[in-house]
Amino acid sequence: MRLLIVEDNATLAAGIARVMGDAGYVADVVHDGEGARAALATGPFDLVILDLSLPDTDGLSLLSEIRARGTPTAVLVLTARGALDERVRGLDCGADDYMTKPFDVAELQARVRAVLRRHAGARGGRLEFGPLTFDLDARQALVDGRPLDLTARELSVLQILIGRSERVVSKQQIAERLTAFDDELSDNAVEQYVSRLRRRLEPHGLKIRTARGLGYALETA
């Protein structure tokens, strides 16, 4: 899952990116509203962690812009502005959750998981398709209750596919959700991840269909 951290404190932003990266997320960092707008224009993010006190933009205005785009990006406000009226305004402007600084890292990670579950429509923190279950909190894939032995990247590809099961996901969409700004993922690399997933899923009655020139779709065999 790809996160955008909008935080003007470079040290804090780097720290958040590090702990979210350790938790299995791809995290990009920008430090102002202009950078956030540019980042959001480049591709999809699953969640934005948004500070409200930015040097060039009021965070609530930026939040309203994000919501006006009509995109399904989740937004978690993380700010020192903790007055009740500020929290109410943030939620009314479209924030999915609102946390105040200082904060506990474990709580931030838990709230990120909860927001992403709600956006994914996951029941009990799980995505399900046929015999396949993806536990979002544990980041584990199971078939008929038995864990699948997958690498971190393979798990991420599978999460993308099960989140859009029976719909085609392009190679570009997969690559965008697996990489940060300064990384690149070739079509060949995506094909290799999909190929390895196929070999693990097919014995369980699941297949990844290739829509030539379009992408891939997770289906039952």
Side-chain angles (χ1 to χ4, degrees), residues 64-78:
S64 296
E65 290 177 31
I66 293 171
R67 288 294 170 249
R69 292 168 178 259
T71 58
T73 304
V75 178
L76 187 156
V77 168
L78 181 62

Side-chain angles (χ1 to χ4, degrees), residues 92-113:
D92 283 346
C93 284
D96 295 275
D97 202 351
Y98 195 109
M99 286 187 69
T100 56
K101 304 172 184 175
F103 61 93
D104 183 84
V105 168
E107 182 183 1
L108 174 62
Q109 291 176 325
R111 287 184 181 238
V112 166
R113 292 193 299 268

